[in-house]
Amino acid sequence: MVMVGKLLRFGRRQLHTIISRETIKPANLTPNSHPHTYNLSEIDLLANRAYIPLYLFYPNNDGCSLTANDKATLLKKSLSMSLTKYYHFAGRLPAQTTPYIECNDEGVVFVEARNDSELDRFRLVSAKDGDFDQLFPDEMVCYESRNNANLVGVQVNHFACGGVGLAVSMSHIVGDACTLGSFVNHWAYVALYGSTEHKEVLPLNPYFIQFPKTNSLLLEPHAANQKNNNHVMKKFMFPNSKLSDLKKIIVSTAAGSLNNPTRVESLTALLYKTAVAAAATNNSGHFNPSYLLIMADIRQKFVEKLPQTTVGNFVSMMMVPTRNKTEISLSMLVDEIKKQKVKLEGVENVQQAAEKLKLVQSKLGSEDFEHVVKGTYGGTSLCGFPFSKADFGWGKPMAAGVALRSAGANGFMLMDSPEGDGIEAHVTLEKKDMDVFQNDKELLSFCQINI
């Protein structure tokens, strides 16, 4: 373990100190029964060279006798054990563009930090614009760089109140948000039960599909971590009761029959409609053609459904265009989202899924799309994922989220509230659009502004 001493970061008068750094290796070497190279799938190769940065906030639990040092020790030991199942997470790419990972057990970076503020205070101050970057190790927040070989990174942040901020970054090339959720949940259960072979842990063990080697290459990583300071992130809470009201309104205003819309479909439509309206307000009321791009987990869309613990990128993209004001009503948006969902069904294999994704991506680069690129909004739902259930031994998190601001793009990330009583929407927009968005009367009638 390397002691780092007084590496200080000053963010809004908070003193954030890195106190230790080490590399956590698997408790056991990759067994001979596993391939020592992990071939990336065709969908993996299409993934952005970016990290998925998850943060989990745990309040000080009076009923927990573990000290800060005890918690860090438990996290490191259980992480080491979990890496014996997620063996390629501790591996390395032989070169920046090679389409496979060497399972060489080199490990993942593990950093400990101390923040002199209370956890609640930190959340209030840092979350005003979604600036959680200091929680993560080695700038593993958004785009990958050539200088960081780690596929996974962890930072444990101890707050003055005894609370903990656990930050986990995973390279998108090894998996999607579902993979990250499965990994964190597995890790937490290993910490609770002390073994990867415990009966409570076994159902959470990862499921792997062996892919053949390919001649395709990975995309080059960005030269440096990039950040767009014109974007801000705010979190909005939508109670289930209000979402039920929203669904009823959407059904009642539909021109034709609209089958029971889901909470996520309804809320995605509302957020997109409000964001487009905010952009028009800042454009002297002029409506610009826009696109809603929704990432979707397709594990259950395969003809032979895949377990949710299947490791890798199993995603597709739905594109909902709105070329004029007549296409921006809530009912029309929900109807189009449903139509796009139907197109995802019946996936025969990963190759077919990759070809469908390539087709959508090709449209993004078309001449027709280029002139409205600033009018694109990404939508992702993590509802149903186990982030809010990750109990390492000191209780479930009081809050969870993905650090979106550094992506520098308009988008909505939906997550179940920790209490399960609604959906939290993490919204990232350009600051001028956010100023209008957060004051929209229709939006406010369905939500509470958390931050």
Side-chain angles (χ1 to χ4, degrees):
M1 178 173 66
V2 179
M3 300 304 294
V4 186
K6 295 289 184 180
L7 176 59
L8 306 180
R9 301 179 184 177
F10 293 89
R12 292 169 176 78
R13 300 179 183 176
Q14 297 165 2
L15 184 61
H16 207 76
T17 310
I18 305 300
I19 57 177
S20 71
R21 163 190 294 274
E22 60 187 292
T23 299
I24 305 299
K25 297 188 176 186
N28 301 303
L29 297 179
T30 301
N32 291 330
S33 59
H34 286 288
H36 281 246
T37 59
Y38 176 86
N39 296 325
L40 300 174
S41 76
E42 291 292 334
I43 305 180
D44 295 332
L45 297 176
L46 297 174
N48 290 331
R49 294 300 296 270
Y51 292 102
I52 306 175
L54 171 72
Y55 60 83
L56 303 167
F57 290 138
Y58 295 88
N60 186 21
N61 186 342
D62 293 335
C64 177
S65 61
L66 296 177
T67 65
N69 185 62
D70 291 337
K71 292 176 181 177
T73 300
L74 177 61
L75 286 170
K76 286 184 279 190
K77 181 179 179 181
S78 53
L79 174 60
S80 178
M81 295 168 69
S82 288
L83 289 175
T84 64
K85 297 297 182 181
Y86 288 86
Y87 56 96
H88 65 300
F89 280 19
R92 297 290 186 270
L93 289 171
Q96 292 291 347
T97 60
T98 49
Y100 62 88
I101 297 166
E102 286 186 348
C103 303
N104 53 18
D105 305 306
E106 289 196 15
V108 304
V109 62
F110 188 100
V111 174
E112 272 192 272
R114 183 182 298 115
N115 192 293
D116 69 342
S117 64
E118 304 285 312
L119 178 55
D120 285 342
R121 171 66 179 166
F122 175 85
R123 290 180 63 209
L124 178 65
V125 174
S126 293
K128 283 185 176 179
D129 61 356
D131 189 7
F132 291 114
D133 295 13
Q134 61 187 313
L135 294 176
F136 294 88
D138 303 338
E139 297 186 327
M140 295 172 69
V141 180
C142 190
Y143 294 106
E144 293 184 34
S145 73
R146 297 173 178 271
N147 301 322
N148 195 335
N150 282 279
L151 299 174
V152 174
V154 176
Q155 184 166 311
V156 182
N157 304 275
H158 303 286
F159 290 88
C161 59
V164 172
L166 178 61
V168 186
S169 284
M170 183 191 74
S171 170
H172 216 319
I173 64 171
V174 298
D176 50 22
C178 186
T179 296
L180 179 57
S182 295
F183 169 66
V184 171
N185 204 33
H186 179 273
W187 176 17
Y189 268 66
V190 172
L192 271 177
Y193 296 105
S195 170
T196 57
E197 303 305 319
H198 191 280
K199 65 179 182 179
E200 296 292 339
V201 179
L202 286 175
L204 304 173
N205 281 343
Y207 177 80
F208 290 96
I209 297 176
Q210 300 299 330
F211 300 107
K213 286 187 177 180
T214 175
N215 293 325
S216 301
L217 296 177
L218 272 171
L219 298 173
E220 288 276 358
H222 289 254
N225 200 16
Q226 299 180 0
K227 184 181 293 186
N228 188 328
N229 290 322
N230 292 327
H231 284 76
V232 296
M233 189 278 281
K234 290 186 181 293
K235 186 169 68 176
F236 302 83
M237 169 65 183
F238 294 83
N240 285 331
S241 59
K242 293 293 186 179
L243 291 174
S244 294
D245 293 340
L246 175 61
K247 290 165 60 175
K248 291 176 183 176
I249 291 173
I250 291 173
V251 171
S252 67
T253 57
S257 62
L258 182 61
N259 294 329
N260 185 33
T262 67
R263 297 182 310 157
V264 169
E265 292 167 349
S266 302
L267 182 52
T268 299
L270 176 64
L271 296 172
Y272 177 63
K273 176 178 180 288
T274 307
V276 170
T281 297
N282 286 322
N283 193 28
S284 302
H286 179 69
F287 177 88
N288 282 326
S290 303
Y291 284 77
L292 172 61
L293 305 176
I294 304 174
M295 298 304 297
D297 175 19
I298 58 172
R299 286 168 176 80
Q300 298 299 299
K301 306 297 184 183
F302 278 69
V303 174
E304 295 186 11
K305 293 180 174 22
L306 300 176
Q308 284 304 110
T309 56
T310 305
V311 175
N313 286 284
F314 291 90
V315 295
S316 193
M317 187 184 296
M318 299 182 288
M319 181 186 294
V320 178
T322 48
R323 298 179 179 85
N324 54 67
K325 286 185 178 181
T326 62
E327 298 175 335
I328 204 68
S329 73
L330 292 176
S331 58
M332 291 186 68
L333 288 172
V334 170
D335 186 55
E336 185 59 31
I337 291 172
K338 283 186 172 295
K339 289 178 180 177
Q340 293 296 322
K341 276 187 175 181
V342 172
K343 295 180 180 180
L344 299 179
E345 298 287 349
V347 180
E348 295 284 348
N349 51 50
V350 171
Q351 181 63 37
Q352 184 188 71
E355 291 302 321
K356 287 185 177 181
L357 184 56
K358 287 179 184 178
L359 181 61
V360 176
Q361 289 183 337
S362 68
K363 294 179 181 178
L364 303 187
S366 68
E367 183 177 349
D368 176 62
F369 185 82
E370 287 297 320
H371 74 285
V372 295
V373 68
K374 289 187 177 181
T376 61
Y377 300 83
T380 303
S381 171
L382 303 185
C383 293
F385 288 17
F387 297 123
S388 61
K389 300 177 182 178
D391 181 356
F392 291 86
W394 47 86
K396 296 178 181 179
M398 63 188 292
V402 176
L404 292 174
R405 185 178 70 94
S406 296
N410 298 321
F412 325 115
M413 178 77 74
L414 307 185
M415 302 186 74
D416 292 315
S417 65
E419 296 79 17
D421 57 352
I423 295 178
E424 292 181 349
H426 302 237
V427 181
T428 303
L429 295 173
E430 287 192 42
K431 186 179 184 305
K432 63 179 182 178
D433 289 347
M434 181 65 79
D435 291 340
V436 178
F437 178 93
Q438 66 183 350
N439 291 301
D440 184 86
K441 291 182 178 179
E442 183 181 32
L443 179 81
L444 294 178
S445 68
F446 297 107
C447 82
Q448 304 164 353
I449 299 179
N450 282 17
I451 297 172

